[in-house]
Amino acid sequence: MTDVSPEVALDLAAAAPARSVLFVHAHPDDEVINNGVTMARYVAEGVHVTLVTCTLGELGEVLVPELAGLAAEAADQLGGYRVAELQRAMQALGVTDHRFLGGAGRYRDSGMMGLPSNDDPRCFWQADTDEAAGELVGVIREMRPQVMVTYDENGGYGHPDHIQAHRVAMRAVELAADPTYDTERGAPWEVAKVYWCAVPRSVLAAGIEALRAAGEERPFGLPDGNVDDLPFGTDDALVTTWVVGTSWVEAKLNAMRAHATQIAVDGVFFALADHVGRQAMGVEFYQLVRGERGPSGGAPEDGAGWPGAGQITSTYENGLFAGLG
């Protein structure tokens, strides 16, 4: 293998979009729940948005009774069905560049932590991290994103596929920048900024309070406990960045509806929109973990109506490309 010539490297750089962001997620629907507004907003602003999904989500729960036969314990066809759901969700957000890591079906859903499915040699949890990261390196070097978004070390809430997606994504960023690593996968590329998806605990607490006031007895499954009893949520001090996009809430909701086997229209996400307000769905938060923090952008006026807004100061970066020019 030989290094790419300087001339070819310049041609690749010239061909790359001016702004590009890569999202790495474990299953179909994770992208909409975490980043739907962000993705739709950046597509509308001309940013090239790439989504890489690591599994088909074969072991997901089937919330549509007439489709129960798709489940793993029945026909085991849910993964294929969710490919179509993901395609419809991406249409709703305007995203045209979506790939499955290593190709559709390369890695199987591992199921929740501690289940026998974690031991399946085909599952993502059992994948060799460097091998899977190599698949992602090819995407990074092809698309040359300035920004990558994935989960924190706990995968947000401890799902093995989310944790593995975090490990693979972070390793791929390292390998993609290494000029000695597998030059057949393209010229080296350094991702300028890496973010982890985040939901500030103060925002979760405000949302739970608003849902209870609206009559929801067990928001997020909490009967009497508080936000500290949830397996997800980010300490406020760690959150660095927000993306405000209330104009794209309807696109996010439509994308959620596309994931009908996984997201119930009478569930907590739609309850937030109905009882708390559309602004609650129109702000998404992030933790910058790699790269230079950009200047704060102040509090956009269209972010003023969501729960917990009063707790936010002007120290947040206003967008994932802050400071990149």
Side-chain angles (χ1 to χ4, degrees):
M1 295 185 290
T2 59
D3 290 337
V4 174
S5 70
E7 293 80 7
V8 171
L10 287 172
D11 288 343
L12 287 171
R19 283 191 171 183
S20 177
V21 56
L22 169 65
F23 295 85
V24 181
H25 279 291
H27 316 103
D29 83 348
D30 291 327
E31 78 294 329
V32 173
I33 293 169
N34 287 279
N35 315 118
V37 160
T38 302
M39 297 171 80
R41 171 184 161 177
Y42 282 133
V43 167
E45 292 180 356
V47 176
H48 187 95
V49 175
T50 300
L51 170 65
V52 172
T53 308
C54 298
T55 79
L56 304 185
E58 296 93 334
L59 299 184
E61 184 180 3
V62 181
L63 300 179
V64 181
E66 56 267 32
L67 297 178
L70 296 172
E73 62 272 18
D76 195 16
Q77 296 297 310
L78 180 59
Y81 193 86
R82 292 184 72 177
V83 171
E85 288 186 330
L86 182 57
Q87 290 171 342
R88 291 191 290 272
M90 291 303 94
Q91 290 173 356
L93 299 179
V95 175
T96 58
D97 184 9
H98 167 254
R99 302 109 182 274
F100 285 98
L101 185 67
R106 171 66 180 83
Y107 299 106
R108 183 173 172 83
D109 189 340
S110 306
M112 298 299 290
M113 188 68 81
L115 294 179
S117 53
N118 297 169
D119 299 323
D120 187 336
R122 301 172 298 164
C123 79
F124 191 45
W125 185 239
Q126 294 294 330
D128 180 270
T129 302
D130 276 7
E131 178 182 314
E135 299 288 351
L136 189 57
V137 166
V139 179
I140 293 173
R141 288 181 172 180
E142 174 193 351
M143 301 315 304
R144 304 169 78 81
Q146 292 87 12
V147 176
M148 186 186 75
V149 176
T150 191
Y151 312 103
D152 62 19
E153 308 102 313
N154 192 44
Y157 68 103
H159 193 294
D161 288 335
H162 288 231
I163 295 171
Q164 185 76 314
H166 160 85
R167 293 172 178 171
V168 167
M170 298 305 293
R171 179 62 172 149
V173 167
E174 296 176 2
L175 293 175
D178 184 351
T180 67
Y181 176 77
D182 197 354
T183 55
E184 291 186 357
R185 293 185 185 271
W189 179 256
E190 184 169 355
V191 179
K193 302 178 81 173
V194 176
Y195 290 93
W196 295 343
C197 301
V199 181
R201 289 195 176 276
S202 64
V203 173
L204 276 175
I208 288 169
E209 180 179 348
L211 286 171
R212 283 180 173 149
E216 294 283 332
E217 295 183 0
R218 295 173 58 89
F220 297 105
L222 285 176
D224 302 311
N226 58 37
V227 67
D228 293 327
D229 297 319
L230 291 171
F232 52 88
T234 308
D235 290 342
D236 283 39
L238 298 177
V239 180
T240 61
T241 309
W242 67 350
V243 174
V244 179
T246 52
S247 297
W248 292 276
V249 170
E250 195 60 40
K252 176 168 181 165
L253 293 174
N254 285 337
M256 285 184 170
R257 293 184 185 100
H259 288 294
T261 63
Q262 307 301 304
I263 303 176
V265 294
D266 58 352
V268 66
F269 296 113
F270 286 94
L272 280 170
D274 292 339
H275 300 315
V276 181
R278 294 300 174 95
Q279 291 90 343
M281 304 293 289
V283 181
E284 292 166 346
F285 297 88
Y286 300 90
Q287 177 185 353
L288 178 67
V289 296
R290 182 185 178 107
E292 293 291 329
R293 183 167 176 167
S296 59
E301 291 183 3
D302 60 343
W306 55 271
Q311 312 230 9
I312 296 303
T313 70
S314 61
T315 60
Y316 278 172
E317 289 183 307
N318 187 6
L320 304 181
F321 291 88
L324 293 182

